[in-house]
Amino acid sequence: MFLRYNNNLMNTLPSQLIDRFGRKVTYVRMSITDRCDFRCVYCMDEEMTFMPRQQLLSLEEIVFLLRAFCELGVEKVRITGGEPLVRRNVDWLFEHVGKLKQSTALKELNITTNGSQLTKYADSMFKAGMDRINISLDSLNADRFRELTRTGDLHTVLSGIDAAIQTGFKRIKLNAVIMKGRNDDEIVDLARFAIEHDLDISYIEEMPLGHVSHQRHESFCSSDEVLEQLQTVFKLQPSVISTGGPSRYYQVIGTNTKIGFISPHSHNFCDSCNRVRVTTEGRLLLCLGQEHSVDLREIIRNYPGDSDRLKQAIIDSMAIKPEGHDFNIESESIITRHMSVTGG
Ligand code: SAM
């Protein structure tokens, strides 16, 4: 379903976004580039065609858009991609989005990164008011890391993690997508690494987004299988803590580390969905696993500076937020866009 904005202007704008199922939308994940320096096997195809630059929202347009969301009650923004830290002048963006905390509902500015550029950017991110960093790490073995990312260098990423810790970021979280036969023998080692470095870690079930070169159902590893392995080694206590995202958490007893599970297949989290995504070209996606969307770039470019019009389109979009996704690991992907376009 594609909602075209109809020019039916409003007098007063609500200060909160609520969809037709009564879910409050307070969280925006903003993809600022579809480009990435890695080609993770579950995320991208080996050969990728990236979007022409003029189709991407400019950094100024991104700030304008995020301001509109935050004036509509959005409290949390996550910058993602592709790899957000390969976007030119990204520190300008952090500085300007960080400032929205002073004048809007924004409370938390976060980022998801592959860590490859963190030695360069950790400091400026911290100064700009970035609150939390998620870093993807699927293996601690350099050869395997290269195989899974196709281009990545493990030691650069480990230095990036160190840089983020040294800069002062608290509760950094690792993200690991676990695939049978590829890295499921590292589930415990990854948790140990997190504990030793006083980090949190989430294990993610692979999602069928876009075409990749393996059959996803053959490598699928459920969160329950991951949990079972971890419980043979660590004492885990279910935690009520929520970071506002889809992870279910366990505390590793005797440590500060929380272990999270993102389980779109086995423990669907749609009931409590509080988020929307904006793609690199300004398409507002109401659900990760469906195509319901609104073209916000069209509004931003056709009506420059008209924040009320943009906000009204965002408010109207709540009427098409789907009840949930229909991920099915057994069938072909029904969603043809890769996670790198959507913004993971
Ligand atoms: N480049 C950054 C990174 O690597 O974290 C941010 C973008 S990446 C698309 C965001 C997250 O999505 C990563 O943690 C990645 O592992 C995850 N991801 C990508 N494709 C996925 C898929 N098909 N299923 C599950 N997780 C996926």
Side-chain angles (χ1 to χ4, degrees):
M1 188 190 288
F2 188 84
L3 188 75
R4 243 175 188 280
Y5 175 59
N6 100 36
N7 179 10
N8 143 14
L9 280 184
M10 57 284 134
N11 295 322
T12 46
L13 293 166
S15 56
Q16 281 205 322
L17 293 169
I18 301 178
D19 77 358
R20 66 203 149 116
F21 303 102
R23 296 172 298 192
K24 233 195 253 176
V25 171
T26 53
Y27 182 9
V28 171
R29 298 173 75 109
M30 177 81 229
S31 174
I32 63 167
T33 176
D34 60 335
R35 289 173 167 73
C36 188
D37 48 348
F38 291 3
R39 295 283 181 280
C40 298
V41 291
Y42 48 78
C43 185
M44 290 193 186
D45 231 348
E46 200 150 8
E47 294 302 321
M48 293 287 293
T49 310
F50 296 110
M51 244 167 255
R53 282 184 208 282
Q54 66 276 16
Q55 284 189 24
L56 307 189
L57 290 185
S58 69
L59 296 181
E60 289 81 359
E61 287 170 334
I62 293 172
V63 174
F64 182 65
L65 180 58
L66 289 176
R67 170 177 286 283
F69 273 108
C70 296
E71 287 177 353
L72 288 170
V74 163
E75 296 174 357
K76 181 167 156 181
V77 167
R78 177 171 297 280
I79 304 292
T80 179
E83 173 47 43
L85 297 182
V86 302
R87 175 101 193 225
R88 205 178 305 151
N89 293 334
V90 70
D91 28 15
W92 181 92
L93 179 77
F94 297 149
E95 206 187 307
H96 284 77
V97 180
K99 280 189 188 143
L100 294 178
K101 286 193 212 163
Q102 295 161 14
S103 56
T104 69
L106 183 66
K107 292 189 184 132
E108 247 187 73
L109 173 60
N110 301 334
I111 188 168
T112 300
T113 171
N114 65 23
S116 69
Q117 314 291 318
L118 273 176
T119 47
K120 180 171 169 199
Y121 283 114
D123 201 39
S124 54
M125 279 159 54
F126 193 73
K127 287 189 181 126
M130 185 73 71
D131 293 283
R132 300 215 335 257
I133 311 187
N134 288 359
I135 305 170
S136 299
L137 184 69
D138 301 320
S139 175
L140 290 164
N141 171 306
D143 292 337
R144 183 182 282 175
F145 187 86
R146 169 58 63 104
E147 237 171 72
L148 290 174
T149 58
R150 293 196 182 107
T151 57
D153 175 51
L154 175 66
H155 293 106
T156 309
V157 171
L158 295 181
S159 305
I161 294 174
D162 265 349
I165 296 170
Q166 297 308 326
T167 305
F169 282 103
K170 301 281 178 256
R171 300 303 342 140
I172 295 167
K173 183 163 75 98
L174 305 176
N175 277 339
V177 176
I178 300 298
M179 303 171 74
K180 280 242 172 80
R182 301 206 69 161
N183 65 348
D184 57 334
D185 56 341
E186 289 195 68
I187 292 169
V188 167
D189 289 347
L190 286 162
R192 244 188 220 120
F193 177 89
I195 293 166
E196 278 165 12
H197 291 81
D198 203 20
L199 310 174
D200 296 326
I201 180 165
S202 278
Y203 295 92
I204 307 177
E205 287 178 352
E206 187 179 352
M207 294 174 233
L209 296 171
H211 180 267
V212 290
S213 47
H214 62 274
Q215 294 295 323
R216 295 199 192 259
H217 66 271
E218 286 173 12
S219 52
F220 180 69
C221 184
S222 76
S223 293
D224 289 345
E225 292 170 87
V226 176
L227 178 60
E228 215 171 281
Q229 273 205 40
L230 292 169
Q231 280 172 326
T232 62
V233 180
F234 306 107
K235 281 206 163 60
L236 301 181
Q237 173 153 9
S239 164
V240 288
I241 290 172
S242 163
T243 54
S247 275
R248 292 172 298 127
Y249 283 103
Y250 289 75
Q251 186 70 44
V252 185
I253 303 293
T255 77
N256 291 324
T257 295
K258 289 191 295 301
I259 295 186
F261 295 93
I262 301 179
S263 327
H265 299 281
S266 55
H267 297 269
N268 172 313
F269 41 71
C270 302
D271 280 357
S272 57
C273 183
N274 61 348
R275 72 207 72 111
V276 292
R277 291 174 157 80
V278 182
T279 68
T280 352
E281 81 276 39
R283 189 169 153 217
L284 170 61
L285 275 174
L286 283 310
C287 172
L288 175 62
Q290 306 275 8
E291 294 292 359
H292 302 61
S293 69
V294 182
D295 183 358
L296 296 181
R297 186 186 60 188
E298 184 190 36
I299 299 166
I300 293 174
R301 296 208 173 152
N302 287 345
Y303 302 95
D306 192 344
S307 171
D308 279 355
R309 189 178 293 264
L310 177 62
K311 285 184 194 161
Q312 187 62 54
I314 295 170
I315 292 162
D316 291 349
S317 75
M318 292 295 111
I320 59 163
K321 184 167 166 61
E323 192 166 11
H325 61 67
D326 308 312
F327 286 144
N328 181 356
I329 203 76
E330 297 296 335
S331 64
E332 271 294 295
S333 301
I334 48 161
I335 301 294
T336 52
R337 67 190 134 74
H338 290 93
M339 189 70 124
S340 51
V341 173
T342 306

